[in-house]
PDB file of all heavy atoms in Angstrom:
ATOM      1  N   ASP A 135       0.059 -10.720  19.260  1.00  0.00           N
ATOM      2  CA  ASP A 135      -1.116 -10.121  19.987  1.00  0.00           C
ATOM      3  C   ASP A 135      -0.815  -8.646  20.362  1.00  0.00           C
ATOM      4  O   ASP A 135      -1.709  -7.943  20.247  1.00  0.00           O
ATOM      5  CB  ASP A 135      -1.289 -11.032  21.218  1.00  0.00           C
ATOM      6  CG  ASP A 135      -1.908 -12.368  20.911  1.00  0.00           C
ATOM      7  OD1 ASP A 135      -2.393 -12.410  19.698  1.00  0.00           O
ATOM      8  OD2 ASP A 135      -1.806 -13.245  21.695  1.00  0.00           O
ATOM      9  N   HIS A 235      -0.264  -5.378  -0.514  1.00  0.00           N
ATOM     10  CA  HIS A 235       0.917  -4.640  -1.056  1.00  0.00           C
ATOM     11  C   HIS A 235       1.425  -5.471  -2.245  1.00  0.00           C
ATOM     12  O   HIS A 235       2.271  -6.204  -1.887  1.00  0.00           O
ATOM     13  CB  HIS A 235       1.824  -4.150   0.009  1.00  0.00           C
ATOM     14  CG  HIS A 235       2.794  -2.963  -0.530  1.00  0.00           C
ATOM     15  ND1 HIS A 235       2.886  -2.759  -1.819  1.00  0.00           N
ATOM     16  CD2 HIS A 235       3.608  -2.299   0.204  1.00  0.00           C
ATOM     17  CE1 HIS A 235       3.809  -1.776  -1.962  1.00  0.00           C
ATOM     18  NE2 HIS A 235       4.182  -1.506  -0.648  1.00  0.00           N
ATOM     19  N   GLU A 270      -3.311 -16.459  -5.124  1.00  0.00           N
ATOM     20  CA  GLU A 270      -3.521 -17.365  -3.930  1.00  0.00           C
ATOM     21  C   GLU A 270      -3.755 -16.587  -2.638  1.00  0.00           C
ATOM     22  O   GLU A 270      -4.592 -16.823  -1.814  1.00  0.00           O
ATOM     23  CB  GLU A 270      -2.274 -18.306  -3.766  1.00  0.00           C
ATOM     24  CG  GLU A 270      -2.298 -19.473  -4.809  1.00  0.00           C
ATOM     25  CD  GLU A 270      -1.204 -20.499  -4.734  1.00  0.00           C
ATOM     26  OE1 GLU A 270      -0.360 -20.269  -3.877  1.00  0.00           O
ATOM     27  OE2 GLU A 270      -1.276 -21.369  -5.487  1.00  0.00           O
ATOM     28  N   LYS A 395      -9.605  25.599  -0.776  1.00  0.00           N
ATOM     29  CA  LYS A 395      -8.365  26.094  -1.692  1.00  0.00           C
ATOM     30  C   LYS A 395      -7.420  26.794  -0.963  1.00  0.00           C
ATOM     31  O   LYS A 395      -6.840  27.808  -1.244  1.00  0.00           O
ATOM     32  CB  LYS A 395      -8.964  26.880  -2.840  1.00  0.00           C
ATOM     33  CG  LYS A 395     -10.015  26.226  -3.704  1.00  0.00           C
ATOM     34  CD  LYS A 395     -10.059  26.622  -5.173  1.00  0.00           C
ATOM     35  CE  LYS A 395     -10.763  25.766  -6.097  1.00  0.00           C
ATOM     36  NZ  LYS A 395     -11.662  24.873  -5.664  1.00  0.00           N
TER      37      LYS A 395
END
Side-chain angles (χ1 to χ4, degrees):
D135 289 345
H235 194 347
E270 288 180 355
K395 300 206 168 17

